[in-house]
Amino acid sequence: MMNAPINRRRFIQVSALALGSTLVGWPEERTNNGSVQVCPKSAPPAKTLFAFRMGDITTRAWDLELTLSCLQGIVNRSQPRLYLIHDRYDELWLEWLQERGDVKSVRWIGIGELFERFLLEVDRMFVTDPAVPASVNVATMLAAVRGGLVATPDLAEQFNLPMGRSPDSSEMGMDLHSFGWKKDLDAYRWAYREIGDQLSQQAIAILDPHETALRDYLVEFKIPILWISGRDDAETSPAASPTEDKEFARQIMMRWPPNIPCLGWPSSGYKQGGIGEGPGVQLASQCAKFTVCTAYDGFSPTVGNLSVHSGTTATLKQATQQTVLHRDKVYYAFIRSDGDGWNFQRQYYRKLFDDPKHGTVPMGWQIGPTAIDGQPDILDYYYKHARPGDYFVNALSGVGYIHEDDYAANYPSELREKIWREYIELSEKYLAKLDSKVLAVYSEMEPKRMDMFAGMRGVNGIFANYSRSHETTLANQTSTVDGIPWFRAVNDSPGSFTFTPWARQSAVDFMVDDIRRWTPPARPAFMYVFLANWLTEMGMAQTIAQQLGSNYVPVRADELVSLYGQHAGK
């Protein structure tokens, strides 16, 4: 297992560094047996897993989910033994673990047996303060470094565990209400001052205190947690301080090494709370942290059981396919977005992959490559169940989700370029792990950044932009950068939700019209068609292809690169 927190002296040294002198370099945990490893990994799962359905909880459901998820991280630290079913997808992945042979048997247990069996793993308790949401994240970090149980005040009476009240020592649990914190920021400042040196340097997390599932992984590997409130939060919670929260988060992220993942997600569901995706990913990027979406983003739920999934392994291999160029055709590649998030891989992608119409048209699937560390068994499912027209595209952009022109912006120029070189080297290694030759990048960027991505070893083609950008024209939608084909997304998005038949048909009609309007006049033509979260059924892509007609030929992403190369070479 990779779990090496820095000592107090080292923490003080790193914390004292200002923006211009922040440590640059990979953490020691990054390598394992000579292989680069960004995210921490568990030991292999026990051959018998104890499984519990969270849906069986009928009273104090959220309180118990919080307690059980944190306890799971402690239980699974030595060897993954406990698996929590948050929804039906967790059950599907448990079946896959058995089919792969990672697990031989599953023993289903109730809440009583769960506590009877695993409560012995803890000897103290950290009780949250309902008036201060940050106390949930602080209690999680305390449990991680001191090996305790996280409980709300309503649940604490169920456990005969010390919680720091007299005559107990404060080392034997804490009731966080006793601190009298008024602001979330007070809680975070206390936590990073008191236990910051005991937290891992391998990753960091931005997590809504109300999210529970991810906490097993955060506890297991002692990953530091932050939450940055948004303007709307300040209107509903007296504990929120958006401006101060953001500045404190910036300071903490700059104390942690560059080129590490930022887990969780900076918004609470569909634009409901927190700083939000745009400002949150921008801040992480400025601090040279790449975002790995593992919490609820409004489309896919928070990832759980990473303390189990990360203990698996997989070797990923893609099939090859070739298409003969016809010079009178319009070739286009569908690429499905958001697979950079482990949450999408766990839920949304499984829904689409298991759709009976999966495979009726070629499809590019964006994949965030660090999932090969965190949930390799899940990636293995997709590679093993890929149709001939499927191709997995490295997203977004490289080893993790970043805003390219903001990345490492908080560092002085000489350090910024070193960080970028390390980022590109890391991205090359993870591109190879996906067995992919194609890279997806997020947005328009300055030319020197384009040159960096085009110069990555192993990259044969690049698909750019999260939908059509303001800079895209008929003339530049397909071009080359240092000899590497660079395809800009040609279409805008028809919207976010397509739950009804009318909404799905409207989205299809919009896409067909948009693609036709943005088809260049010359033949052959080569187009990148961007598919986002409105693609709720695979039949929608099939209908778009049918309505475009026979002059438009859908191909895999790697085939589009090859066809363009055939055309450019003659």
Side-chain angles (χ1 to χ4, degrees):
M1 292 188 298
M2 297 296 168
N3 187 25
I6 56 175
N7 59 35
R8 181 174 297 275
R9 178 180 178 185
R10 180 61 180 142
F11 177 80
I12 293 173
Q13 290 173 342
V14 174
S15 299
L17 294 172
L19 300 185
S21 58
T22 304
L23 177 68
V24 177
W26 293 349
E28 292 181 4
E29 305 99 313
R30 179 145 293 172
T31 59
N32 181 27
N33 297 325
S35 175
V36 172
Q37 179 185 302
V38 166
C39 299
K41 289 182 65 63
S42 298
K47 289 304 179 182
T48 297
L49 281 185
F50 293 90
F52 173 75
R53 291 186 174 93
M54 292 291 214
D56 289 348
I57 302 172
T58 57
T59 303
R60 299 291 181 192
W62 182 86
D63 305 65
L64 279 165
E65 288 171 6
L66 172 65
T67 294
L68 292 176
S69 293
C70 292
L71 178 61
Q72 183 188 21
I74 293 173
V75 168
N76 289 349
R77 188 174 281 169
S78 57
Q79 183 181 32
R81 293 166 284 155
L82 178 59
Y83 192 92
L84 301 177
I85 304 293
H86 299 275
D87 58 22
R88 72 182 186 92
Y89 289 95
D90 283 330
E91 198 148 355
L92 290 173
W93 294 122
L94 181 57
E95 292 171 0
W96 178 237
L97 283 168
Q98 291 180 274
E99 185 177 337
R100 275 172 38 101
D102 299 286
V103 175
K104 288 187 177 179
S105 63
V106 174
R107 178 173 171 182
W108 295 95
I109 57 175
I111 188 71
E113 184 181 353
L114 192 159
F115 280 123
E116 183 178 356
R117 179 174 292 277
F118 294 117
L119 199 56
L120 298 173
E121 306 270 344
V122 295
D123 60 359
R124 67 199 74 187
M125 183 164 50
F126 299 99
V127 183
T128 65
D129 181 356
V132 184
S135 68
V136 175
N137 285 344
V138 171
T140 302
M141 291 186 282
L142 284 165
V145 300
R146 296 181 180 173
L149 191 75
V150 175
T152 63
D154 289 335
L155 202 62
E157 62 185 21
Q158 297 288 317
F159 308 104
N160 184 27
L161 291 169
M163 49 192 284
R165 292 175 179 169
S166 181
D168 299 331
S169 164
S170 62
E171 290 298 311
M172 291 301 293
M174 287 183 179
D175 180 357
L176 299 184
H177 175 72
S178 65
F179 285 93
W181 295 322
K182 302 299 183 185
K183 295 284 188 179
D184 287 334
L185 190 56
D186 299 332
Y188 287 122
R189 282 174 172 159
W190 178 90
Y192 282 90
R193 182 176 65 249
E194 295 297 318
I195 62 172
D197 62 319
Q198 301 170 62
L199 297 169
S200 173
Q201 290 268 301
Q202 192 172 0
I204 198 164
I206 298 176
L207 186 66
D208 178 1
H210 297 96
E211 294 290 351
T212 59
L214 183 62
R215 294 180 189 272
D216 67 310
Y217 192 66
L218 303 183
V219 168
E220 180 184 13
F221 293 108
K222 304 179 183 180
I223 294 173
I225 314 170
L226 295 162
W227 179 244
I228 309 168
S229 59
R231 293 179 181 177
D232 292 344
D233 298 313
E235 297 177 2
T236 58
S237 173
S241 307
T243 301
E244 293 83 0
D245 290 350
K246 181 179 179 181
E247 175 56 24
F248 180 75
R250 184 192 67 81
Q251 293 174 11
I252 293 298
M253 283 196 283
M254 290 300 293
R255 292 175 185 177
W256 260 247
N259 291 329
I260 62 172
C262 181
L263 302 169
W265 192 241
S267 69
S268 174
Y270 189 70
K271 305 178 181 178
Q272 294 176 3
I275 190 175
E277 175 181 355
V281 175
Q282 180 185 50
L283 176 62
S285 295
Q286 290 168 343
C287 298
K289 312 296 183 285
F290 47 87
T291 298
V292 178
C293 183
T294 42
Y296 176 49
D297 70 338
F299 294 97
S300 284
T302 302
V303 180
N305 295 300
L306 287 177
S307 59
V308 179
H309 293 303
S310 66
T312 65
T313 60
T315 300
L316 307 178
K317 184 68 176 177
Q318 302 209 58
T320 59
Q321 189 163 299
Q322 294 292 330
T323 297
V324 177
L325 177 68
H326 296 281
R327 297 189 172 275
D328 60 341
K329 299 295 184 181
V330 176
Y331 294 97
Y332 66 97
F334 283 135
I335 296 184
R336 177 61 171 81
S337 72
D338 290 85
D340 60 288
W342 297 4
N343 59 336
F344 275 78
Q345 296 171 18
R346 189 197 74 90
Q347 187 252 2
Y348 212 125
Y349 270 27
R350 181 65 187 263
K351 174 181 180 290
L352 295 174
F353 248 66
D354 293 350
D355 187 318
K357 294 188 176 180
H358 171 214
T360 55
V361 292
M363 183 66 61
W365 302 88
Q366 288 187 2
I367 292 289
T370 54
I372 194 64
D373 296 334
Q375 48 188 32
D377 55 322
I378 291 179
L379 289 192
D380 186 48
Y381 179 87
Y382 296 123
Y383 276 67
K384 281 187 167 60
H385 290 81
R387 305 295 197 271
D390 289 332
Y391 191 81
F392 299 101
V393 177
N394 189 150
L396 181 77
S397 307
V399 70
Y401 175 22
I402 64 171
H403 291 178
E404 297 93 350
D405 279 350
D406 290 314
Y407 201 70
N410 283 351
Y411 296 80
S413 58
E414 64 276 10
L415 291 180
R416 189 180 312 137
E417 295 311 308
K418 181 177 181 181
I419 291 168
W420 261 110
R421 288 194 298 273
E422 291 181 341
Y423 180 87
I424 293 297
E425 291 172 4
L426 199 57
S427 296
E428 290 172 341
K429 295 179 186 297
Y430 273 81
L431 178 77
K433 291 185 180 189
L434 288 186
D435 190 34
S436 183
K437 302 292 185 182
V438 176
L439 176 70
V441 294
Y442 177 67
S443 64
E444 298 287 352
M445 64 189 83
E446 59 182 338
K448 70 175 181 178
R449 298 298 171 219
M450 296 172 70
D451 290 341
M452 278 189 170
F453 285 112
M456 278 178 55
R457 288 174 296 179
V459 169
N460 291 343
I462 293 177
F463 290 78
N465 305 338
Y466 197 89
S467 77
R468 187 176 63 240
S469 83
H470 65 284
E471 293 187 21
T472 304
T473 66
L474 289 174
N476 73 6
Q477 63 179 247
T478 302
S479 59
T480 59
V481 176
D482 290 342
I484 298 297
W486 191 283
F487 304 96
R488 286 181 168 88
V490 301
N491 60 292
D492 205 347
S493 176
S496 297
F497 301 110
T498 53
F499 300 138
T500 67
W502 179 87
R504 288 193 292 273
Q505 186 58 55
S506 295
V508 167
D509 293 342
F510 174 91
M511 287 292 295
V512 170
D513 180 66
D514 213 29
I515 293 168
R516 284 175 174 161
R517 287 191 301 109
W518 280 84
T519 301
R523 297 291 182 272
F526 306 90
M527 304 176 70
Y528 159 31
V529 178
F530 172 82
L531 305 182
N533 297 314
W534 52 264
L535 186 78
T536 53
E537 295 180 0
M538 295 301 291
M540 298 173 71
Q542 181 186 27
T543 303
I544 292 170
Q546 290 171 344
Q547 292 189 14
L548 285 172
S550 60
N551 286 331
Y552 288 78
V553 181
V555 296
R556 295 186 350 171
D558 60 328
E559 288 181 288
L560 191 70
V561 172
S562 176
L563 289 166
Y564 181 79
Q566 292 178 45
H567 167 66
K570 294 183 179 180

